[in-house]
Amino acid sequence: MENAVKTERMERDYRLVCAARDEGSHKAYADLMAIYREPLYMLLLRMTHNTTVASDLTVDTFSKAFCQLHRYAPTGTFSSWLYSIGINTYIDHLRRRRVETVPLGTVGRDSDGEFVEYQIPSGGLDPEESLIRAERDQALRDVVATLKQPYRQVVELRYYEELSYEQIAERLGIPVGTVKIRLLRAKNLMQSIVADRKGGSL
């Protein structure tokens, strides 16, 4: 059942990609955006913590993806391919910020009446920390991509699309208990993969 669901979704997406790429179908472009705009936006929002930036990066990601449709191969899901472009777009955004960012401060007087500049602390991660986190997210996605389809699928639905156990079970047509077992097994497999590659754990 789950293989049929994934195959059906991949075939649907590939039909839309072909229609957009080969025929210039505006409806196909619109359908792809309607399907993936919200999950892509939520992914970018979790990384940026800024609704405006996440919205802008979502538009940028679709723009890049639509210009690169000739590179999409139906061997993987369109969503994973799109999210990968989204993460790279976010990393590019952080790199631009590192170049453009200057220290932010305010001028005031100290106890002796002298003018001094006080640095205003940032409310979140600095660009370098955000870049490190984004690169780690990409590394984890690379690990997820190596999992066998049943485990990769539940991980993508749970953590990329943020579906509940019940929603995943309904989507795949399997019991909730099976979803939980596969997620646990997937985590153990990912820990083993990371340990083999880096001598560490997630």
Side-chain angles (χ1 to χ4, degrees):
M1 175 66 179
E2 60 191 81
N3 288 332
V5 171
K6 179 178 180 180
T7 299
E8 181 179 346
R9 185 171 71 250
M10 289 179 66
E11 290 177 349
R12 175 206 64 195
D13 290 349
Y14 191 56
R15 285 196 299 270
L16 291 173
V17 168
C18 290
R21 181 191 62 202
D22 302 333
E23 304 168 17
S25 170
H26 294 294
K27 183 178 185 305
Y29 284 118
D31 287 346
L32 286 170
M33 289 192 69
I35 294 169
Y36 291 111
R37 183 184 184 92
E38 186 64 21
L40 174 63
Y41 169 78
M42 294 306 298
L43 170 67
L44 293 168
L45 181 61
R46 290 199 303 273
M47 292 192 292
T48 63
H49 305 287
N50 185 303
T51 56
T52 300
V53 173
S55 180
D56 290 343
L57 293 180
T58 298
V59 173
D60 289 346
T61 298
F62 274 110
S63 177
K64 291 179 180 179
F66 289 160
C67 289
Q68 300 174 25
L69 284 181
H70 61 283
R71 296 184 179 179
Y72 170 67
T75 53
T77 62
F78 180 80
S79 59
S80 295
W81 182 76
L82 179 68
Y83 297 157
S84 177
I85 294 176
I87 291 173
N88 288 332
T89 300
Y90 171 64
I91 292 173
D92 289 342
H93 163 73
L94 290 179
R95 286 171 176 159
R96 288 195 301 271
R97 282 188 57 191
R98 292 182 69 182
V99 172
E100 297 169 358
T101 300
V102 296
L104 178 64
T106 182
V107 175
R109 292 180 182 271
D110 62 15
S111 58
D112 296 323
E114 297 293 329
F115 285 103
V116 294
E117 181 178 11
Y118 298 98
Q119 294 300 315
I120 300 176
S122 169
L125 297 175
D126 64 34
E128 184 173 359
E129 290 173 330
S130 296
L131 178 60
I132 292 172
R133 174 174 291 184
E135 290 175 341
R136 183 174 184 272
D137 287 344
Q138 181 61 58
L140 287 174
R141 284 179 177 273
D142 291 341
V143 172
V144 171
T146 67
L147 298 176
K148 291 184 178 180
Q149 186 270 342
Y151 304 117
R152 184 177 68 251
Q153 190 173 44
V154 292
V155 170
E156 290 175 345
L157 292 175
R158 177 64 174 170
Y159 298 108
Y160 298 174
E161 298 187 28
E162 296 189 317
L163 299 184
S164 66
Y165 296 130
E166 291 75 14
Q167 290 172 321
I168 296 173
E170 182 178 357
R171 175 83 68 87
L172 301 181
I174 59 177
V176 172
T178 301
V179 172
K180 294 180 179 180
I181 290 172
R182 288 184 183 177
L183 281 170
L184 179 61
R185 177 59 177 159
K187 182 177 180 181
N188 291 335
L189 289 170
M190 291 169 67
Q191 289 176 329
S192 297
I193 292 170
V194 172
D196 290 341
R197 290 182 179 180
K198 301 181 179 181
S201 60
L202 291 177

